Amino acid sequence: MVIAARDVRLTLGGAEPVEILRGVDLAVAAGESVALLGASGSGKSSLMAVLAGLERATSGKVEVTGLDFAALDEDALAVARRGRIGIVLQAFHLLPTMTARENVMVPLELQGADDVRERAEAELTAVGLGHRLDHYPAQLSGGEQQRVAIARALAPRPSLVFADEPTGNLDAATGARIVDLLFERRRATDASLVIITHDAALARRCDRIVELADGRLR
Ligand SMILES: Nc1ncnc2c1ncn2[C@@H]1O[C@H](COP(=O)(O)OP(=O)(O)OP(=O)(O)O)[C@@H](O)[C@H]1O
Ligand SMILES: [Mg+2]
């Protein structure tokens, strides 16, 4: 299993705590793709943050890529995430002062990889951006920025990729191409994929659909 989550609970907020996750159970096998659906505010992004090691569960077991998250401190978790878990977000989140190539080089450098520059170029070429290596995010279209985000997420060859509404800021045609690309790159790297989406057609392309409601999966 790439994800083994049991009875995961997440409560956030100070004076008026919100019980966002109330006992989530989820198992995702190696190579599997899972669509995560649920109404706005149901806790999809929060669940992703917990499973990606960005947010700590209040209680419950979170075992991801063989790591018991509860047993790791912040620093160990940050190191462990590198190269194992890739994340693609709705709003791209590229570093604005870095070119496309430099953005993709960052996770490879953090991983201590060899041939970082060449690998970043190869990843960008694989997403159709071989001619945009030295462009800054502001010089790229939304769809192109999302291609860079996919290249960056997959460059370290993670065993698990999360995508949180990766087509949310794109028109339908561009979004469809980005989804094709995400599935294609994922297949090429054998990664498991958890994709948060409101798009039923996209959800059907996954091996399995799960839905968050009332803080639990059904
Ligand atoms: N730091 C926080 N403190 C308190 N409540 C929070 C915090 N972060 C998120 N929430 C609440 O948790 C709930 C779930 O938020 P989350 O962003 O996970 O939903 P979502 O399913 O991703 O929604 P959307 O589809 O709109 O992106 C929301 O009601 C939100 O207000
Ligand atoms: Mg969300």
Side-chain angles (χ1 to χ4, degrees):
M1 288 293 149
V2 164
I3 297 178
R6 267 233 320 280
D7 198 23
V8 172
R9 290 166 192 273
L10 179 68
T11 302
L12 290 179
E16 290 188 39
V18 185
E19 272 191 286
I20 300 171
L21 304 175
R22 309 167 179 242
V24 168
D25 295 303
L26 178 65
V28 176
E32 194 180 19
S33 59
V34 175
L36 175 56
L37 303 183
S40 180
S42 61
K44 303 180 297 295
S45 297
S46 304
L47 176 59
M48 187 197 81
V50 167
L51 296 176
L54 303 171
E55 180 96 63
R56 217 174 259 285
T58 307
S59 68
K61 188 184 126 180
V62 180
E63 207 179 280
V64 177
T65 66
L67 300 165
D68 177 3
F69 279 6
L72 301 173
D73 65 25
E74 297 284 312
D75 291 345
L77 195 53
V79 171
R81 271 206 319 268
R82 280 176 208 157
R84 294 171 186 256
I85 299 173
I87 301 176
V88 179
L89 298 168
Q90 174 173 355
F92 325 137
H93 291 278
L94 302 176
L95 297 163
T97 60
M98 291 188 176
T99 64
R101 183 198 340 246
E102 289 164 350
N103 266 279
V104 178
M105 284 168 66
V106 167
L108 294 170
E109 278 165 351
L110 286 172
Q111 199 185 21
D114 293 325
D115 306 323
V116 163
R117 192 182 167 87
E118 292 70 22
R119 278 185 59 185
E121 287 183 16
E123 293 293 334
L124 283 164
T125 301
V127 299
L129 284 183
H131 59 310
R132 291 282 186 272
L133 301 173
D134 294 313
H135 283 232
Y136 288 90
Q139 300 170 323
L140 298 170
S141 72
E144 288 171 341
Q145 289 182 52
Q146 202 61 319
R147 284 169 191 265
V148 177
I150 290 171
R152 183 179 60 177
L154 287 150
R157 293 284 179 270
S159 44
L160 175 60
V161 175
F162 290 98
D164 192 348
E165 298 188 48
T167 62
N169 283 346
L170 303 173
D171 64 77
T174 307
R177 282 200 296 275
I178 289 297
V179 167
D180 286 344
L181 187 64
L182 185 58
F183 274 83
E184 179 196 310
R185 296 303 298 146
R186 167 193 101 89
R187 216 175 307 117
T189 59
D190 283 328
S192 301
L193 174 67
V194 175
I195 187 163
I196 298 175
T197 181
H198 290 285
D199 178 345
L202 167 51
R204 280 195 298 273
R205 294 182 59 168
C206 295
D207 300 325
R208 189 152 57 94
I209 297 176
V210 296
E211 188 175 350
L212 251 185
D214 302 320
R216 293 190 188 84
L217 288 178
R218 59 177 186 202

